[in-house]
Amino acid sequence: MGIIDAWKSKSRNSKSSGGTSRREKPLSGNRHKDRLAALFHSDGRKDLLSWVGQLEARSESEAALRLLRAGVVRFHPWPQGEEQLATLEKKQFRWNLPELQDAAENQFDALSASRLADALDCLGDRAGAQLWARAAIEEDPCHPEGYLAVARAHLRKFREKSDAVAGLGALRYLTKACQLRPGHGECLRDLATMLLLLKAPKAAGKVLQPLIKAAPRDPMVLALTTLAKELPAENTSNIQELFLRWETGSEPNRALSPARVLPSPPVGQLWEIDNNRTLVATCDSASRDDKTIEYLSVVSGTLMSALPQMGIGEFVRFTSRSRGGILLGQSDGESSYFGHSQRGSHEESLHRFLNNLGDKETSR
Amino acid sequence: MKQILQGLNEVPGVLGSMVMTEDGMVVCSALSSSFDGEVVAAFASNARLCIGKAAVQCGDGIPHEMVLEGEEGSLILLDIEDATLVVITHAGLELNTGMLEIRSLARKLRGILEIQTS
């Protein structure tokens, strides 16, 4: 199940967990909703910081923290807000740490371990945070809190440092948490945050729908909703394509018809996709179905980016073997050539054909 | 499982191995210190997912084996009963008998996972 699908099916307990979470109760009553919403308008940074200051002065640290977290997501990138949030979180968690440690050690369960993991991560103890988050997962692998704690740590790193590995980690752990408890309020908030960082307001808007109904005055919901309305709608629902767009800063040209025709292989179909993930050539028999092209384009972009980052050098070629056929890919540095056949026995001849094709195209 | 992975790492050309769930959670890892388990799991899971989607779209069904070759090494992903065996090797292992040994150890792991789930 994909990450977008995972949250869709409502769980039995979605009502109890969908709106107000264990830590994030609405900031205050109805009368503040308009004022709160105004803080998230594009010129609201100064007022937001001032309100955070007022809440702190009234010793309402939890509320100040919730508001500032929402502001940092809304106005990302916002170094001043990030800095103040880090200070506030450290102060709050230093205060709470003995209580959280006590709970995690004495009445050990997934929830208390994950809360401690969150606190340690905010305090900069990444190793300790990982240890407790893993302990939460081991204690109850079917409880979403442990996965959420890991996802939140990754999400924070992804937002603050634009770290691709952290982004993929956040997606993986959020997917898992969403699958375990569809409709869980914190999962939905974090998922919407992730989608907005990937510039996918349409998908984020769908994720936010149940939260808008359940917790319309929640600062994070207001911040995310405002941001989702402001960003231009994305034209794909493929999360991996969205990730590649974030990573490379470019998107493939889907409107372009392939300008060239590749020679037909003795068996199967062929496609050529350039380094911008755009289809540039096919053989006559190849499918030009939008989904096929999008998936092959994502494979090309993903392998070009992933292999060097894993430490095994530039992408050269891949082979995928299934019961129903083989899918092959080969790169010549400027393009990726893909070949497909429904017979596994064609693997060698198709690889040879792709190899020759790459050589010819390079010399041409 | 750890023992099998350590045995696998003794196959000439193998640099490290790990088992991860379908959704990319690391179950057991025997990677050398030159690889970060979290990084390998993140990218291996992403690559597996996107190639799987393309293969299914082409009508092949879910792949049971993927070999991703880079200039300096290869990443082999083998389907083992609701989990994936990830093996990192030197470049060019696909061409020799190493692949046969890896497949054989993958069958052993599949056996273990079958016993655990039954």
Side-chain angles (χ1 to χ4, degrees), chain B residues 84-97:
Chain B
T84 304
L85 169 64
V86 181
V87 185
I88 302 177
T89 74
H90 281 303
L93 187 86
E94 164 80 355
L95 303 173
N96 63 33
T97 53

Side-chain angles (χ1 to χ4, degrees), chain A residues 2-319:
Chain A
I3 193 162
I4 310 274
D5 302 319
W7 61 271
K8 280 184 179 168
S9 47
K10 270 197 159 184
S11 71
R12 277 168 294 170
N13 58 1
S14 61
K15 274 188 179 172
S16 61
S17 59
T20 53
S21 69
R22 62 183 194 268
R23 275 165 286 171
E24 303 193 8
K25 290 174 187 158
L27 192 71
S28 52
N30 254 338
R31 61 201 166 92
H32 286 307
K33 191 190 167 190
D34 290 345
R35 195 181 154 201
L36 248 182
L39 296 177
F40 298 115
H41 288 161
S42 54
D43 55 355
R45 289 178 183 80
K46 209 173 148 191
D47 289 344
L48 193 141
L49 284 181
S50 150
W51 198 348
V52 167
Q54 286 171 36
L55 289 168
E56 269 201 287
R58 295 204 301 262
S59 300
E60 293 180 41
S61 309
E62 286 273 341
L65 206 52
R66 284 199 300 274
L67 184 57
L68 193 51
R69 275 186 186 139
V72 161
V73 167
R74 162 65 182 97
F75 296 118
H76 176 75
W78 185 26
Q80 194 190 355
E82 294 273 7
E83 203 178 309
Q84 192 155 341
L85 177 64
T87 311
L88 208 59
E89 278 182 332
K90 278 187 180 137
K91 192 174 147 195
Q92 180 73 8
F93 282 124
R94 266 192 209 112
W95 177 259
N96 288 347
L97 196 60
E99 191 190 327
L100 293 171
Q101 270 172 333
D102 190 49
E105 281 162 16
N106 296 329
Q107 39 169 342
F108 182 71
D109 58 16
L111 186 63
S112 56
S114 68
R115 290 177 80 171
L116 179 58
D118 264 347
L120 291 172
D121 190 64
C122 287
L123 290 169
D125 180 1
R126 294 266 147 90
Q130 272 194 2
L131 207 72
W132 280 102
R134 307 257 174 233
I137 294 170
E138 275 175 31
E139 172 64 16
D140 187 354
C142 297
H143 200 293
E145 291 298 337
Y147 301 98
L148 256 184
V150 182
R152 265 195 295 265
H154 281 308
L155 192 54
R156 193 174 295 123
K157 200 169 166 193
F158 179 59
R159 194 190 66 220
E160 289 172 6
K161 298 183 178 165
S162 298
D163 183 313
V165 177
L168 289 173
L171 279 175
R172 257 161 57 230
Y173 283 90
L174 273 175
T175 306
K176 186 73 185 175
C178 287
Q179 282 168 354
L180 289 171
R181 193 83 54 88
H184 186 290
E186 285 189 48
C187 286
L188 296 182
R189 259 183 288 249
D190 289 341
L191 180 55
T193 305
M194 182 74 206
L195 289 168
L196 288 172
L197 286 170
L198 294 176
K199 305 270 183 285
K202 215 159 78 180
K206 287 180 191 168
V207 174
L208 284 168
Q209 281 307 315
L211 290 174
I212 293 170
K213 278 185 194 162
R217 290 186 299 274
D218 183 299
M220 187 60 91
V221 174
L222 284 168
L224 291 168
T225 311
T226 312
L227 188 57
K229 280 180 189 159
E230 203 176 272
L231 293 171
E234 71 276 17
N235 59 2
T236 178
S237 59
N238 186 317
I239 194 90
Q240 290 174 304
E241 170 58 28
L242 288 167
F243 193 82
L244 286 169
R245 287 180 190 185
W246 169 85
E247 201 174 25
T248 61
S250 67
E251 64 180 273
N253 188 346
R254 298 256 184 266
L256 201 69
S257 299
R260 287 186 296 113
V261 178
L262 292 170
S264 286
V267 287
Q269 315 173 70
L270 282 182
W271 300 266
E272 180 185 348
I273 289 175
D274 71 9
N275 282 355
N276 195 33
R277 309 193 305 283
T278 298
L279 177 74
V280 287
T282 63
C283 70
D284 284 332
S285 61
S287 161
R288 293 188 186 182
D289 171 78
D290 286 348
K291 263 197 167 171
T292 308
I293 304 309
E294 181 171 58
Y295 287 153
L296 292 176
S297 141
V298 169
V299 171
S300 161
T302 301
L303 296 185
M304 282 202 297
S305 142
L307 268 53
Q309 292 189 73
M310 270 193 288
I312 55 174
E314 296 294 327
F315 164 53
V316 177
R317 67 178 191 170
F318 83 88
T319 309

Side-chain angles (χ1 to χ4, degrees), chain B residues 9 14-18 29-37 40 88:
Chain B
N9 290 355
V14 171
L15 299 172
S17 53
M18 71 191 315
S29 170
L31 289 175
S32 67
S33 57
S34 52
F35 294 99
D36 180 333
V40 173
I88 302 177

Side-chain angles (χ1 to χ4, degrees), chain A residues 240 316-317 319 321 340, chain B residues 46 60 64-65 67 69 94:
Chain A
Q240 290 174 304
V316 177
R317 67 178 191 170
T319 309
R321 301 177 182 114
H340 172 255
Chain B
N46 200 31
D60 296 351
H64 56 82
E65 191 172 296
V67 181
E69 295 175 56
E94 164 80 355

